[in-house]
Amino acid sequence: MSLVSSNKTETNTYELQIAIGSEEFERAVETAYRRNKNKVNVPGFRKGKAPRSFIEKMYGESFFYEEAVNSLYPAAYSSAIDEAGIEPVDRADIEITEVSRESGVAFKATVTVKPEVEIANYKNIAAAKNKVEITDKEVDAEVQRLRERNARMVDVDDRPVEKGDNVVIDFTGYVDGETFEGGSAEKFPLTIGSNQFIPGFEDQVIGHNVGEEFDITVTFPEDYQAKELQGQSTVFKIKLHEIKTRELPEVDDEFVKDVSEFDTLDELKADLVKKLTERGEKAAQEAFENQLIDTVIGNMTAEIPQCMITYSIDEMVQNFEYRLQMQGLDLKTYLQYVGMDLEAFRKTFAEQAEKQVKIRLALEKIGQLENLEASEEEIESKYAELAKNYNMEVEKIKGVIPASDVKQDIISQKAIDLVRDTAVVTEAKPEPAEESTENQ
């Protein structure tokens, strides 16, 4: 088998003419005959005893050709790819152009290949890295979160309902004096201000006391899901059974002992400063590296085949589906829940997928330009790390992830390290470790 010709027909597309000699083809046909002769019925012969010539005379000379060609094609194609020095990124479009006992097999493979990449100015990139300074406000916000997590619910009987309270109510709704489906419940728990009910309902519970019975008048929205209720004025009869509020613990040394490993508030705050600093520095480093990567791919030139982006989307969707399965869900149910079809869902990954492809191509190119390599020890170490992460034996991981992929991952990480280590840090400025949305 041999590569007859390799021609670039358009951007990222090659046409390979591949030939398999008559002798090799004959051996493959004979192998196909021996593999299948027990399955063929020929009058006058016991099964498996009919000579190949009789079978071909009865069913045609090409009876075993398809299997013979299929057995030869993978090795022939792989050899031609290596000889042509190209790297396919999609399945080839194969066209058999000749099959005969005298000439062997000839076929044409149209191949989409990895794009040519040019990249410049990936060293000494200037990027801002924010300086992390923890404020008292941030520390107080963390303490407040601890208070919120350790709050307890207490009964309220000495005041009316306020926003934020948890109440238990009976309610029955009437439209034109008639009840309607889904419009009533008993001992229903409701957080005032949660907007769980239609607009105006929760606001009208405010100001009432435990034991009171009262009416609420609201109007259903014009776009309400139950069409028969859209725009309808409705009266709800309410009975208020309970009012509960969240009681936050006092912040003192006793509180600190209850919620942490520390004995004093000062010790707790010092630990919070340390953790917030670590968190902020990690975020600042990630933001810094993201700036560098954005600059790198901005300095890259490549015409990327759509199939590479499509495969990247496929991988992202598969990973998302796997995470859903870990939560006991499936993708079909999730899409129904969010009101989205699969095509629209896939489009949400398109921008991210394209960026990931660009990053991978850029880092591979840097690896080539810098002659970066991955040693056998590094590859084995990476396999051991993957085995630990996936809780699998190393040999099983090797059977799933090719060494070439692991090697490229190592080289790509070295390329990232090179870009980062040669970067120029500019415009350092204080950056809060984390903005709090909690009440202070």
Side-chain angles (χ1 to χ4, degrees):
M1 60 185 73
S2 64
L3 174 66
V4 177
S5 64
S6 171
N7 298 301
K8 186 175 183 179
T9 56
E10 55 184 281
T11 304
N12 303 321
T13 304
Y14 278 76
E15 184 179 283
L16 308 182
Q17 299 288 344
I18 304 169
I20 299 172
S22 58
E23 291 184 5
E24 189 171 3
F25 178 55
E26 169 59 25
R27 288 194 296 271
V29 172
E30 178 67 18
T31 300
Y33 157 69
R34 294 183 182 281
R35 187 181 296 117
N36 292 281
K37 63 181 181 178
N38 292 331
K39 305 173 186 177
V40 183
N41 290 316
V42 177
F45 292 92
R46 286 179 297 157
K47 239 180 189 181
K49 298 300 181 180
R52 174 179 151 193
S53 59
F54 275 84
I55 295 175
E56 291 177 338
K57 184 177 181 179
M58 183 173 183
Y59 292 100
E61 184 180 81
S62 62
F63 186 73
F64 298 109
Y65 282 10
E66 182 176 356
E67 182 168 332
V69 171
N70 288 339
S71 69
L72 292 169
Y73 156 71
Y77 174 70
S78 178
S79 176
I81 289 296
D82 290 342
E83 190 175 344
I86 59 177
E87 188 173 353
V89 293
D90 199 4
R91 289 182 290 273
D93 182 15
I94 302 298
E95 179 186 350
I96 304 296
T97 56
E98 182 179 2
V99 181
S100 70
R101 188 166 293 178
E102 296 74 25
S103 301
V105 182
F107 62 91
K108 178 176 68 175
T110 304
V111 188
T112 301
V113 300
K114 185 174 289 187
E116 296 178 4
V117 176
E118 294 182 3
I119 192 167
N121 303 323
Y122 55 85
K123 293 181 181 178
N124 304 313
I125 297 173
K129 183 177 180 181
N130 293 325
K131 183 179 180 182
V132 177
E133 293 182 358
I134 306 305
T135 65
D136 290 342
K137 183 179 179 180
E138 291 173 276
V139 176
D140 290 342
E142 290 297 310
V143 173
Q144 179 68 14
R145 290 190 183 95
L146 285 173
R147 293 183 74 202
E148 295 283 348
R149 286 199 295 268
N150 289 276
R152 64 189 185 96
M153 300 302 296
V154 296
D155 291 320
V156 175
D157 54 17
D158 58 350
R159 64 165 176 80
V161 176
E162 297 176 355
K163 187 173 183 179
D165 285 342
N166 291 269
V167 301
V168 176
I169 59 174
D170 296 341
F171 63 86
T172 303
Y174 296 86
V175 174
D176 296 330
E178 299 292 332
T179 59
F180 53 91
E181 185 177 356
S184 62
E186 294 183 353
K187 301 294 180 65
F188 187 88
L190 175 64
T191 299
I192 304 301
S194 64
N195 298 318
Q196 184 176 352
F197 277 30
I198 61 175
F201 186 101
E202 294 171 25
D203 290 341
Q204 294 181 62
V205 177
I206 294 173
H208 292 281
N209 292 284
V210 171
E212 277 192 56
E213 296 185 25
F214 53 94
D215 291 350
I216 285 175
T217 301
V218 294
T219 300
F220 279 95
E222 294 292 341
D223 59 351
Y224 193 67
Q225 63 263 31
K227 291 185 178 180
E228 66 275 10
L229 296 175
Q230 292 177 352
Q232 292 288 335
S233 178
T234 307
V235 175
F236 283 94
K237 292 190 175 295
I238 310 293
K239 182 172 182 179
L240 179 58
H241 290 288
E242 297 178 18
I243 304 173
K244 291 182 180 290
T245 189
R246 298 175 74 227
E247 185 178 83
L248 300 178
E250 292 294 327
V251 179
D252 54 24
D253 289 347
E254 290 304 313
F255 165 73
V256 171
K257 292 175 183 176
D258 289 339
V259 302
S260 74
E261 60 190 276
F262 303 104
D263 294 325
T264 67
L265 182 59
D266 288 342
E267 290 175 338
L268 174 63
K269 287 187 174 183
D271 183 67
L272 290 174
V273 169
K274 178 183 176 183
K275 290 178 178 176
L276 286 170
T277 300
E278 292 172 352
R279 190 187 311 166
E281 289 178 346
K282 181 179 179 181
Q285 182 64 25
E286 288 177 353
F288 175 69
E289 292 186 8
N290 286 337
Q291 289 180 69
L292 299 178
I293 291 297
D294 286 344
T295 301
V296 166
I297 62 177
N299 292 339
M300 180 186 76
T301 302
E303 294 188 42
I304 300 173
Q306 180 58 43
C307 64
M308 294 186 73
I309 299 171
T310 299
Y311 287 141
S312 183
I313 292 173
D314 290 343
E315 184 177 354
M316 291 178 178
V317 171
Q318 289 170 3
N319 289 338
F320 188 91
E321 188 169 12
Y322 176 74
R323 292 194 298 272
L324 285 178
Q325 291 171 354
M326 296 296 287
Q327 300 173 42
L329 299 174
D330 61 77
L331 185 58
K332 182 179 179 180
T333 302
Y334 172 82
L335 293 177
Q336 290 174 342
Y337 179 77
V338 299
M340 186 181 293
D341 61 27
L342 182 59
E343 183 180 356
F345 178 68
R346 287 176 60 84
K347 286 181 180 178
T348 64
F349 292 97
E351 184 177 347
Q352 181 185 359
E354 182 175 0
K355 183 174 182 179
Q356 287 301 315
V357 172
K358 288 180 178 179
I359 292 172
R360 185 163 66 248
L361 290 172
L363 295 178
E364 287 179 5
K365 186 63 176 181
I366 292 172
Q368 294 169 8
L369 294 173
E370 296 292 331
N371 297 314
L372 301 178
E373 294 291 342
S375 68
E376 288 300 322
E377 291 78 11
E378 288 171 326
I379 293 173
E380 289 299 320
S381 177
K382 187 65 176 180
Y383 269 127
E385 179 186 336
L386 291 169
K388 182 178 179 181
N389 291 341
Y390 287 100
N391 195 26
M392 293 174 62
E393 295 178 1
V394 172
E395 292 306 314
K396 289 184 177 180
I397 284 287
K398 288 182 177 180
V400 175
I401 305 176
S404 58
D405 289 356
V406 173
K407 179 180 179 180
Q408 188 54 60
D409 285 346
I410 294 170
I411 291 173
S412 293
Q413 184 57 56
K414 288 183 177 183
I416 291 175
D417 294 342
L418 182 147
V419 171
R420 182 193 61 235
D421 294 344
T422 61
V424 178
V425 181
T426 64
E427 302 178 13
K429 60 182 179 180
E431 176 72 12
E434 182 177 327
E435 290 295 331
S436 172
T437 58
E438 302 278 346
N439 292 329
Q440 302 300 310

